[in-house]
């Protein structure tokens, strides 16, 4: 009886879905070289390192695709991916509502307001836990612009997720 129970338990564990996020061909745990290889087919206009652990790729102002991705690494492994989308508070509400329908109440909400030289800066970020993953949406409103992004993160040893 014990071997049969053990086999059944092991089978159930192997059948559980993996909790690592994947967005398109980008997935948690990829090396920088793997991300670079995947990015070659995307033909972004610009690539910019952001500090020692992030890479920002984006299209120029004249490009109608207007794509903007931020990849964050920890120990040469991809631990976070952020994709900007058309900024509008209406879009933020739609994305947050869809995530709430899929994952329930947010795990973490970050409301933040500060004053910068040109006026107020307001941020509202919401994160949902999905196993060891964090899925989130961030809306940033500044005096002269707004920004909306979706983010996928996983816990790591370099910084505390979600952020």
């Amino acid at each position: 009886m014990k071997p049969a129970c053990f086999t059944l338990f092991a089978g159930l564990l192997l059948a559980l879905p993996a909790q690592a996020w994947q967005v398109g061909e980008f997935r948690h745990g990829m090396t920088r070289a793997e991300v670079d290889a995947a990015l070659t087919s995307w033909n972004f206009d610009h690539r910019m390192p952001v500090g020692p652990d992030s890479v920002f790729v984006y299209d120029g102002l004249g490009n109608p695709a207007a794509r903007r991705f931020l990849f964050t690494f920890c120990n040469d492994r991809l631990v976070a991916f952020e994709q900007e989308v058309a900024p509008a508070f209406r879009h933020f509400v739609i994305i947050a509502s869809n995530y709430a329908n899929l994952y329930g109440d947010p795990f973490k909400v970050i409301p933040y307001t500060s004053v910068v030289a040109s006026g107020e800066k307001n941020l509202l970020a919401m994160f949902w836990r999905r196993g060891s993953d964090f899925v989130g949406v961030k809306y940033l409103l500044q005096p002269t612009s707004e920004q909306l992004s979706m983010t996928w993160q996983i816990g790591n040893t370099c910084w505390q997720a979600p952020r």
Side-chain angles (χ1 to χ4, degrees), residues 65-79:
R67 302 166 300 169
R68 298 166 67 96
F69 294 172
L70 177 66
F71 299 91
T72 305
F73 300 88
C74 175
N75 301 319
D76 193 45
R77 296 291 179 177
L78 184 62
V79 294

Side-chain angles (χ1 to χ4, degrees), residues 7-120:
T7 304
L8 178 62
F9 182 69
L12 288 173
L13 284 177
L14 292 175
L16 290 174
Q19 292 299 323
W21 53 264
Q22 181 167 346
V23 180
E25 63 261 44
F26 305 109
R27 69 186 179 290
H28 152 258
M30 291 177 80
T31 64
R32 284 180 187 250
E34 291 171 325
V35 170
D36 288 341
L39 282 171
T40 57
S41 66
W42 285 76
N43 297 321
F44 279 97
D45 295 337
H46 304 282
R47 176 190 177 96
M48 179 174 63
V50 180
D53 64 347
S54 297
V55 175
F56 183 54
V57 293
Y58 61 99
D59 291 319
L61 293 176
N63 190 325
R67 302 166 300 169
R68 298 166 67 96
F69 294 172
L70 177 66
F71 299 91
T72 305
F73 300 88
C74 175
N75 301 319
D76 193 45
R77 296 291 179 177
L78 184 62
V79 294
F81 171 73
E82 191 165 312
Q83 178 183 7
E84 287 188 30
V85 294
F89 190 71
R90 178 176 182 262
H91 297 163
F92 171 81
V93 170
I94 291 170
I95 294 167
S97 176
N98 288 340
Y99 283 166
N101 286 332
L102 286 171
Y103 310 123
D105 291 336
F107 164 75
K108 185 175 187 179
V109 177
I110 302 172
Y112 177 76
T113 300
S114 65
V115 177
V116 293
S118 57
E120 276 188 25

